[in-house]
Amino acid sequence: MSLNSTASPHPPYFLLMGIPGLEKEQFWIAFPFCIMYLIAVLGNITLLLIIKADPSLHEPMYLLLAMLAFTDVVLTTSTLPKMLGVFWLGSGEIGFVCCLAQLFFIHTFSSVESGVLMAMALDRYVAICHPLRHSSILSVPLVVALESLVVVRGVLLVSPFCFLLRRMSFCRHHVISHSYCEHMAVVKLACGDTRVNAIYGLFVAFMVTESDIILISVSYIRILRVVTRLSSPEARLKAFSTCASHVCVILAFYVPALFTFLTHRFGQRIPPQVHITVANLYLLVPPMLNPIVYGVRTKKLWDRVV
C-alpha cells in the first residue's frame, strides 16, 4: 500500500521514522537506550517488590514511590520495545489502533507521573512543616485516594485525544517523524482544521504540567521558609537532604518534558534529531534515575537492597 494514499478516515497503519536525520546512527543509539530501559524496568520492579514485601514500608511516602515505580514501568514498556524494533529491525509499521493505544498510555502515564511528583512534594511539605501531624494529615487512605485521583485525571484528560483523532481523516502521507506515537506528531498528518486538537493539547498541558509545577513550587517555597528558620545547622542539612532526591527527580522529568512540548509547537528552528532525541530521553531518563536516586538516598530502602 502506498504511503501517499488518498484520504481515509482510519489509515491501516502509520510508519514511525525513528530519529529523523539519524537513520544510519540510530542502530547504535538503540544500544544505550536498551541498557537504560533494562535499568529502568529492573530498578522499578525491584522497588515495587521491596515495598510490597515489607509491611513497615506501607507508609504514604513509600506508597507514592511504589506508584511512581509502577508508572515508570508502564511508561517505558509502552514505548521502548517498539522503538527498539524501529531502530534495530526497521519495523516502523504500527497499526492505527495500536498507535492510538500507545499515545493513550504515553500521555496518560506522563500525567500520572506528574501528579505523583506533585503528591510527593505535598508529602515533603507536611513532613517538614508539620512533622507531628504528618500521619494524621497524610494518612494511607488519603494517599490512595490521591493516587486514584491522578490516574482518573490522566484517563479523563487524555481519552479525548484518541476520540478526536478517530474522527479525523488522514490525506497526507502516513509517516510519523518520531520514534513513537506522540499526539502532535500524529495530528500533523491529519487533513482539515486541527485547531481543536492543538487547543485541547494546550489545555491538557496547562491542566497537568502547569498546575502541578505551581503546586510543587508553592510546597518548596514553604519548605524553604521553614528550613531557613531552623536554628540547628544539622537540622537544616537533614531537611535539605530529605528534599534533594525529590528535586533531582522533578528536574529530570519536567525539563525535557517542557522542552519537548514547546518544541512541538514553537520550536520550528530546533533540528528534528535534537527534538526527537530529547523526547526519547524524556521517557527513559526519569524512569532510570528514579529507583537509583530513591534507592541510594532512602536509608530504609537501601538497607533492604544491601
Side-chain angles (χ1 to χ4, degrees), residues 36-268:
M36 294 166 71
Y37 171 62
L38 292 175
I39 294 173
V41 171
L42 292 174
N44 284 294
I45 288 178
T46 300
L47 278 184
L48 284 169
L49 293 176
I50 291 172
I51 293 171
K52 180 182 178 182
D54 192 340
S56 69
L57 297 179
H58 296 174
E59 302 173 358
M61 173 184 172
Y62 299 103
L63 293 178
L64 289 170
L65 184 54
M67 184 66 178
L68 187 66
F70 174 76
T71 300
D72 286 338
V73 171
V74 175
L75 197 56
T76 53
T77 302
S78 64
T79 53
L80 260 294
K82 181 60 183 177
M83 190 187 300
L84 294 176
V86 174
F87 290 173
W88 278 335
L89 306 175
S91 58
E93 287 190 11
I94 182 169
F96 179 77
V97 174
C98 292
C99 184
L100 291 186
Q102 187 185 63
L103 182 154
F104 173 81
F105 279 105
I106 290 169
H107 291 288
T108 296
F109 281 90
S110 293
S111 168
V112 171
E113 179 138 357
S114 179
V116 173
L117 291 176
M118 180 271 293
M120 294 175 80
L122 178 63
D123 174 73
R124 292 301 84 206
Y125 162 71
V126 176
I128 292 174
C129 299
H130 304 283
L132 299 179
R133 299 171 56 202
H134 181 264
S135 58
S136 60
I137 295 175
L138 273 183
S139 61
V140 170
L142 179 60
V143 169
V144 173
L146 281 173
E147 292 177 337
S148 302
L149 184 62
V150 297
V151 172
V152 171
R153 180 188 70 170
V155 171
L156 291 180
L157 288 176
V158 174
S159 294
F161 285 159
C162 301
F163 294 127
L164 288 171
L165 287 171
R166 283 185 65 88
R167 293 167 59 88
M168 303 190 77
S169 296
F170 294 82
C171 55
R172 304 173 191 174
H173 62 76
H174 298 158
V175 179
I176 300 176
S177 299
H178 213 299
S179 304
Y180 53 84
C181 290
E182 199 276 340
H183 174 242
M184 286 306 298
V186 178
V187 168
K188 289 176 181 179
L189 304 182
C191 305
D193 190 353
T194 60
R195 284 180 296 180
V196 172
N197 301 70
I199 291 171
Y200 185 69
L202 286 170
F203 168 75
V204 171
F206 176 80
M207 286 294 294
V208 175
T209 307
E210 299 301 324
S211 60
D212 288 347
I213 288 177
I214 290 171
L215 290 172
I216 290 170
S217 300
V218 170
S219 296
Y220 274 97
I221 289 172
R222 290 180 175 273
I223 288 172
L224 283 174
R225 286 180 178 176
V226 171
V227 171
T228 53
R229 293 172 184 170
L230 296 175
S231 58
S232 168
E234 292 79 9
R236 287 198 298 269
L237 181 61
K238 183 179 179 181
F240 280 124
S241 179
T242 301
C243 299
S245 56
H246 189 230
V247 171
C248 291
V249 169
I250 288 171
L251 293 175
F253 177 78
Y254 283 113
V255 171
L258 290 174
F259 176 86
T260 301
F261 170 77
L262 294 173
T263 301
H264 252 309
R265 289 160 175 81
F266 314 110
Q268 288 78 11

